[in-house]
Amino acid sequence: MNKVLVQRKKWEPYVWLLPSTLLMTIFVVFPIFIVFKLAFSKISKAGVVTGFAGFDNFVAAVKDPAFGTVMLNTLIWVVAVVGLSTIIGFAVAMLLNSKFHGRKIARSIVVFPWATSLVIQASVWNYIIKYEYGNLNNLLLNLGIIKQAINWRSSYHIEFMWECGVGIFVTIPFVAFCVLAGLQSIDAAYYEAATVDGAGAWKKLRHVTIPLVMPSLTVSTVLNIIYVFNSFPIIYTITKGAPANKTDTIVTFLYMRAFYDQQKGPATALSVIGFLILCIVSGIYMSITMRSEENL
Amino acid sequence: MKKLTVAILIVALAMGSLFAQGAQETKAAAAEPITLDVIIAQYGPNTQNWFLGNGLNGSNFVKLFEAANPDVKLNLEVVSWNDLYTVVSTRISNNNAPDILNIDTFADYATEGLLLPVKDYCPDELYKDFFPSFIDQSVIDGTVWAVPDLASARTMYYNADMFKEVGIEVPATWAELEEACQAILDYYGGNVYPWGIDMTTDEGQAAFTYYTWNNEGGFVDKNNNWALNSAENVEAIKFAVDLYKKGYTNPSPATQTRYDLQDMFGAGKLAMVIAPNQLPTYLADKGYKINYGTAVIPANEGKAHGSTGIMDRIMAFKDDSYTDQAKRNAAIGKFLSFFYSKDVYTGWVSMEGFLPAVSSAVASLAASDPSFSAWLAVLDSCQFYPTAKAEWIDVKQGVIQVEQSALEGGDVKALLDALQAKVSK
């Protein structure tokens, strides 16, 4: 009897893991394998695989004149959106954690941008900043704040800044709620002890709050790096990467390469490059933060 | 443990036999109706309703077709132009190409051996009904690979009230166009954009033709070889970009699509725009009330005017899994015969505001729309994109990149030289 129980205990975890392992294999591992295979295949414009390409697709992708601009844009996009939304989201979480009238309503409102579809968010912002005839100009003109309509998208640099702004706006709630969850789990005794020891607000923040919400912050940052790096709707809806790939990130760029230019080989190679970059960046970030948590 | 292994083996064997059975099956057993997968491009808000809802005499195309052809079933999908290339390409990659496809390009599918020649499925009577000049646009190596489903012609629309108010004539040359733009800019103090340009990934290739074809340039030379960096093209694109730099155009030609321009024109924010013949339908559908006129697209001094024609196509893909290919070809022929039958086709063309591709539709369309004959004359003089050339997709995207780079200060000649070198490889 004992032997049977031991056997059962040995197998049971695997049985419970089986459904999720199967799902992961079908929907994650298998597509990744296919993309890697395609990245080393010759693919015709119509989409037919015609043979083995070696590293040709990677060479074509990297040699593309727009590649440098796109990689730089991706870096700016990820650093700006993840960095600023983390800082602002942290501040919002601190605010929502403090006691004030209407806190529940405020918490509900903050979640709206995250709960709304990204395409809708991007489309709405597109209307708001639509050159000289967007809603922002109408509002400012009607309020008498400006006398002449302003072109809010007078260059691609400004358009890219708007796209980063929209990215930050929709990402803040996620950070805020991750941090808020961490803040609520902090025992009030820590702050009381810090007060007794004569710590001010800044020292409490630095030595109590930040270390204790660090696990939540790590999770939100890693997830945000992945989400923001792979984010497609904001840039595609507002500029489609125009003019001449100046506002493209790697994801919009590879989409346009695959489905507008019919260059599916280089597009899949770009996809693999993006995947590897994400793995490396997330891995480094997690190992650094985990090491620093262990040192606490 | 042994039991578990046996169970897994049984399941694996059962699944294996299922797959084996599936592989042996072939489509369309002789007695059963044949099912055709059809992908139709969404031309406007009415397309879906006409094919699948109740927009065709209270019924729809699929129902009426299947009632008239009980031996053929249609698995018809209407796909927006935004998703069309993605959907088709994904299906081809997965060995699941549609039987019938409605799209603009065909050269890649034809040169890769994916398409059926038109003579294999198109009934003779119908084939003779297509305008020969349209059919010629779908020929590669002497074989016709697709049939035209409709066409549109582009022309210049201007706000007649504005022109009257400012007191200017409608421009016919580039010099006159610049004068008119300056006059409109001066009169309205920047509240009206004089000239609309769309150099987006949607229609940048059309913008290329508006200027190069009106400077006797274009995509190809007289021998049908790529001539993208000709002196005429360089001059034409420089002229268009200069219009933007002088402040005569909409603020962002690289991101403002034709639909943005049409809305601006309808709202009285844009004085002139180049648009297709279905613009009046678009303005009426959106409730814009504007007094407009049409004119030829301005050309460079001393150069002939060139009109831009756009044509989409219907094509049939090969599918070797059918045992009875003749039956499949006949079914595709029935689809075409029904689609181009007089009542169905004229209803379709007039609903979307396009121009027909078959001569039998002309008389009834001319009777119902007084402006139709004039448009047909414009269409007659139109030039079309060289879509039969295998490099067309590269050229199409390439000229858009050139235009957008030029808008940002790039050297037009160097950009066109680079594109020509890339395409000529």
Side-chain angles (χ1 to χ4, degrees):
Chain A
M1 187 64 189
N2 271 347
K3 242 185 179 182
V4 175
L5 263 178
V6 168
Q7 279 285 340
R8 205 177 140 183
K9 274 202 165 178
K10 202 176 162 190
W11 281 103
E12 206 172 285
Y14 298 103
V15 173
W16 290 114
L17 283 171
L18 189 67
S20 55
T21 311
L22 264 176
L23 282 174
M24 291 275 282
T25 309
I26 294 167
F27 293 109
V28 180
V29 180
F30 185 63
I32 289 172
F33 169 74
I34 294 287
V35 170
F36 270 80
K37 195 178 153 223
L38 287 175
F40 290 96
S41 304
K42 278 184 194 161
I43 310 171
S44 73
K45 281 181 188 160
V48 180
V49 176
T50 55
F52 180 68
F55 282 94
D56 289 358
N57 290 331
F58 290 88
V59 173
V62 173
K63 272 190 171 174
D64 192 302
F67 183 76
T69 310
V70 169
M71 294 309 285
L72 183 64
N73 283 352
T74 310
L75 181 71
I76 296 169
W77 166 252
V78 174
V79 171
V81 175
V82 176
L84 289 174
S85 62
T86 302
I87 294 167
I88 302 169
F90 189 91
V92 171
M94 297 283 286
L95 193 70
L96 291 176
N97 198 42
S98 57
K99 283 178 186 164
F100 60 91
H101 284 296
R103 186 169 71 162
K104 279 185 181 172
I105 295 168
R107 283 181 181 177
S108 310
I109 290 170
V110 168
V111 86
F112 281 165
W114 191 64
T116 316
S117 145
L118 269 185
V119 177
I120 293 169
Q121 287 272 356
S123 302
V124 168
W125 277 100
N126 204 16
Y127 281 113
I128 291 172
I129 55 163
K130 205 148 198 182
Y131 313 101
E132 283 102 334
Y133 47 94
N135 298 5
L136 181 59
N137 266 330
N138 283 345
L139 181 72
L140 296 177
L141 284 167
N142 288 338
L143 290 174
I145 296 168
I146 55 170
K147 294 238 158 32
Q148 191 92 34
I150 297 166
N151 179 4
W152 295 101
R153 297 166 61 166
S154 56
S155 76
Y156 70 84
H157 298 104
I158 295 172
E159 289 191 307
F160 192 60
M161 276 171 60
W162 275 112
E163 286 167 339
C164 290
V166 176
I168 293 164
F169 179 75
V170 298
T171 312
I172 287 170
F174 178 69
V175 179
F177 278 88
C178 280
V179 174
L180 189 60
L183 287 174
Q184 286 177 340
S185 65
I186 299 174
D187 194 331
Y190 289 112
Y191 291 108
E192 283 163 18
T195 310
V196 170
D197 289 346
W202 170 245
K203 280 195 170 172
K204 280 183 196 167
L205 176 72
R206 225 185 120 197
H207 298 293
V208 180
T209 310
I210 291 179
L212 289 173
V213 296
M214 197 47 99
S216 313
L217 218 48
T218 305
V219 170
S220 80
T221 307
V222 171
L223 289 177
N224 272 337
I225 289 172
I226 297 166
Y227 290 155
V228 173
F229 188 95
N230 286 326
S231 178
F232 175 81
I234 294 171
I235 288 170
Y236 190 76
T237 306
I238 296 177
T239 60
K240 270 193 179 173
N245 310 111
K246 292 285 197 301
T247 59
D248 259 327
T249 62
I250 193 166
V251 174
T252 53
F253 182 60
L254 76 87
Y255 178 85
M256 297 298 272
R257 279 286 171 275
F259 298 113
Y260 270 69
D261 305 349
Q262 307 299 340
Q263 292 179 19
K264 293 181 185 63
T268 37
L270 280 168
S271 184
V272 168
I273 292 170
F275 175 78
L276 295 175
I277 292 172
L278 264 186
C279 287
I280 293 165
V281 172
S282 306
I284 292 172
Y285 182 82
M286 283 190 76
S287 66
I288 290 171
T289 48
M290 280 174 173
R291 203 176 300 156
S292 59
E293 277 168 32
E294 279 166 15
N295 291 340
L296 279 175
Chain B
M1 179 61 198
K2 271 184 184 172
K3 277 180 188 170
L4 184 71
T5 314
V6 171
I8 289 170
L9 273 173
I10 289 169
V11 171
L13 281 170
M15 288 185 78
S17 68
L18 270 178
F19 282 120
Q21 201 181 352
Q24 281 165 4
E25 269 180 26
T26 48
K27 288 183 189 172
E32 286 174 15
I34 193 165
T35 301
L36 296 176
D37 276 352
V38 184
I39 293 183
I40 296 290
Q42 184 166 26
Y43 287 98
N46 305 320
T47 314
Q48 179 89 12
N49 199 28
W50 194 83
F51 273 104
L52 295 163
N54 55 9
L56 179 52
N57 303 327
S59 184
N60 64 50
F61 179 88
V62 172
K63 271 188 196 164
L64 294 175
F65 173 83
E66 288 179 349
N69 300 277
D71 56 337
V72 185
K73 298 274 172 227
L74 295 182
N75 178 21
L76 189 144
E77 193 183 349
V78 175
V79 181
S80 84
W81 278 104
N82 279 339
D83 302 325
L84 191 56
Y85 303 101
T86 317
V87 168
V88 173
S89 151
T90 309
R91 287 186 62 154
I92 291 172
S93 303
N94 293 322
N95 287 324
N96 185 28
D99 295 297
I100 297 171
L101 172 66
N102 169 208
I103 202 167
D104 52 351
T105 56
F106 74 101
D108 293 330
Y109 308 135
T111 50
E112 289 179 29
L114 301 173
L115 296 183
L116 277 174
V118 167
K119 67 173 173 48
D120 286 7
Y121 55 83
C122 184
D124 279 348
E125 200 183 335
L126 172 61
Y127 185 82
K128 285 175 194 156
D129 199 15
F130 289 113
F131 294 128
S133 59
F134 285 15
I135 284 285
D136 290 348
Q137 305 296 322
S138 302
V139 176
I140 296 177
D141 295 334
T143 304
V144 182
W145 296 102
V147 293
D149 69 319
L150 47 75
S152 75
R154 301 289 164 92
T155 198
M156 185 181 85
Y157 291 81
Y158 61 92
N159 187 318
D161 290 341
M162 276 184 195
F163 271 66
K164 201 174 164 190
E165 206 175 339
V166 181
I168 48 173
E169 294 295 314
V170 179
T173 66
W174 286 358
E176 289 170 8
L177 174 62
E178 286 198 82
E179 282 169 22
C181 287
Q182 190 59 52
I184 291 163
L185 208 57
D186 292 343
Y187 188 88
Y188 291 104
N191 287 325
V192 170
Y193 304 112
W195 182 249
I197 293 184
D198 168 3
M199 288 180 170
T200 66
T201 45
D202 286 16
E203 283 251 312
Q205 75 281 8
F208 188 81
T209 67
Y210 299 155
Y211 302 94
T212 60
W213 283 350
N214 283 290
N215 197 32
E216 295 178 4
F219 296 105
V220 291
D221 61 17
K222 282 173 186 164
N223 299 318
N224 204 32
N225 294 317
W226 294 116
L228 301 163
N229 57 346
S230 68
E232 291 81 6
N233 287 359
V234 173
E235 186 186 22
I237 300 305
K238 271 186 180 168
F239 171 75
V241 171
D242 278 349
L243 291 176
Y244 163 72
K245 287 181 178 165
K246 287 174 183 170
Y248 295 153
T249 71
N250 44 305
S252 184
T255 53
Q256 288 174 302
T257 67
R258 173 160 62 82
Y259 298 100
D260 289 322
L261 301 184
Q262 290 179 179
D263 285 331
M264 287 159 70
F265 183 73
K269 292 287 287 180
L270 182 65
M272 291 175 276
V273 66
I274 300 172
N277 53 291
Q278 60 269 33
L279 179 63
T281 313
Y282 180 89
L283 296 175
D285 284 351
K286 286 219 158 186
Y288 293 122
K289 289 184 176 66
I290 181 170
N291 181 21
Y292 62 83
T294 59
V296 289
I297 300 169
N300 199 0
E301 280 66 23
K303 299 287 172 78
H305 288 276
S307 305
T308 303
I310 310 284
M311 186 176 62
D312 296 331
R313 298 171 169 86
I314 294 179
M315 59 206 75
F317 279 76
K318 286 179 183 168
D319 187 344
D320 296 333
S321 67
Y322 280 90
T323 46
D324 190 347
Q325 290 289 330
K327 187 181 173 185
R328 178 174 180 262
N329 291 353
I332 296 168
K334 283 177 183 175
F335 175 87
L336 291 184
S337 297
F338 190 79
F339 178 71
Y340 288 101
S341 61
K342 199 174 156 194
D343 288 346
V344 173
Y345 186 67
T346 50
W348 156 253
V349 170
S350 52
M351 176 191 73
E352 297 288 7
F354 284 103
L355 299 169
V358 290
S359 50
S360 60
V362 170
S364 55
L365 285 166
S368 63
D369 180 2
S371 69
F372 178 78
S373 300
W375 278 110
L376 214 57
V378 173
L379 190 63
D380 208 32
S381 64
C382 275
Q383 299 179 67
F384 292 93
Y385 301 139
T387 44
K389 287 177 79 69
E391 301 85 5
W392 167 241
I393 290 286
D394 299 332
V395 170
K396 178 185 166 188
Q397 302 303 341
V399 296
I400 296 168
Q401 285 281 321
V402 167
E403 291 165 351
Q404 294 191 353
S405 301
L407 288 171
E408 292 302 321
D411 178 56
V412 176
K413 184 168 185 338
L415 290 163
L416 283 173
D417 282 345
L419 179 62
Q420 175 71 22
K422 185 183 163 192
V423 173
S424 304
K425 262 184 192 172

